[in-house]
């Protein structure tokens, strides 16, 4: 199949490439089918999640464990059941980014409170709200120690451990 997009041109994909969110994602309940696109070949640190149903809707997502080594989301029994998963360990987690600045990526934020959870086998997903008070809707990239160390060594002291 071929998807025509204004920003990314033609994207060729197969039905098995799709990630399906039966309930949609927050704010977009009618958009259920997405493609994950790498920004850089072989690097899945930052991905684009493009709606197949409305290609102008694109989310920048990250694997939160890249930035926050101690990120430990815990799903309810109902959420695990929805994904037909036995435990959290067999699932993939992604956090949606909010781009606030193209010039200074350290001002951009990551939503660790409401991750996207995907079963990599069934390619079915859900967005959840985690009850853990340590996770917030807007963690600045600069608040992650690994990012602050890479961006500017002097910011390391300011960076919070996740």
């Amino acid at each position: 199949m071929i998807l025509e997009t204004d920003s990314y041109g033609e994207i060729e994909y197969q039905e098995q490439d799709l990630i399906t969110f039966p309930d949609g994602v927050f704010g977009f309940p009618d958009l259920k089918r997405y493609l994950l696109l790498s920004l850089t070949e072989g690097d899945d640190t930052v991905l684009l999640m493009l709606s197949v149903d409305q290609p102008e809707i694109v989310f920048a997502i990250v694997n939160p464990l890249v930035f926050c080594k101690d990120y430990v989301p815990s799903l309810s029994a109902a959420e695990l059941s929805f994904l037909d998963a036995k435990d959290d360990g067999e699932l993939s987690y992604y956090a949606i980014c909010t781009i606030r600045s193209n010039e200074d990526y350290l001002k951009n934020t990551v939503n660790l409170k409401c991750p996207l959870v995907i079963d990599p086998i069934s390619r079915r997903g859900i967005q959840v709200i985690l009850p853990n008070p340590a996770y917030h809707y807007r963690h600045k990239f600069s608040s992650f120690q690994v990012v602050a160390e890479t961006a500017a060594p002097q910011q390391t002291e300011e960076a919070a451990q996740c």
Side-chain angles (χ1 to χ4, degrees):
M1 291 181 259
I2 294 181
L3 178 65
E4 292 283 338
T5 70
D6 290 338
S7 299
Y8 308 103
E10 284 186 356
I11 299 172
E12 189 172 337
Y13 70 96
Q14 303 297 320
E15 190 71 28
Q16 64 264 21
D17 297 331
L18 295 175
I19 304 292
T20 304
F21 289 85
D23 294 337
V25 296
F26 300 153
F28 300 89
D30 297 332
L31 303 181
K32 303 189 185 300
R33 302 177 312 139
Y34 293 87
L35 285 172
L36 297 183
L37 307 173
S38 294
L39 291 175
T40 306
E41 182 96 20
D43 182 6
D44 64 353
T45 304
V46 179
L47 299 170
L48 296 178
M49 189 172 87
L50 180 124
S51 169
V52 174
D53 302 310
Q54 199 171 336
E56 64 274 12
I57 303 297
V58 181
F59 298 95
I61 62 174
V62 296
N63 177 339
L65 290 170
V66 169
F67 302 104
C68 185
K69 300 292 184 211
D70 58 350
Y71 186 67
V72 185
S74 180
L75 301 184
S76 70
E79 292 161 342
L80 287 170
S81 176
F82 181 85
L83 293 168
D84 293 324
K86 293 178 187 74
D87 61 57
D88 302 25
E90 58 190 67
L91 303 170
S92 299
Y93 295 86
Y94 295 95
I96 294 178
C97 303
T98 300
I99 309 302
R100 300 184 181 286
S101 171
N102 288 328
E103 289 79 38
D104 184 1
Y105 73 93
L106 294 174
K107 293 181 181 176
N108 298 331
T109 62
V110 179
N111 181 345
L112 296 180
K113 186 74 168 175
C114 304
L116 302 170
V117 186
I118 299 170
D119 180 326
I121 296 169
S122 71
R123 303 190 62 81
R124 183 177 173 160
I126 186 174
Q127 187 172 20
V128 299
I129 300 174
L130 300 176
N132 187 331
Y135 304 141
H136 306 287
Y137 300 104
R138 292 185 189 101
H139 290 269
K140 283 188 179 178
F141 274 99
S142 61
S143 72
F144 299 113
Q145 185 172 6
V146 67
V147 175
E149 287 172 351
T150 304
Q154 67 270 17
Q155 290 181 336
T156 303
E157 292 177 14
E158 299 173 14
Q161 294 283 345
C162 179

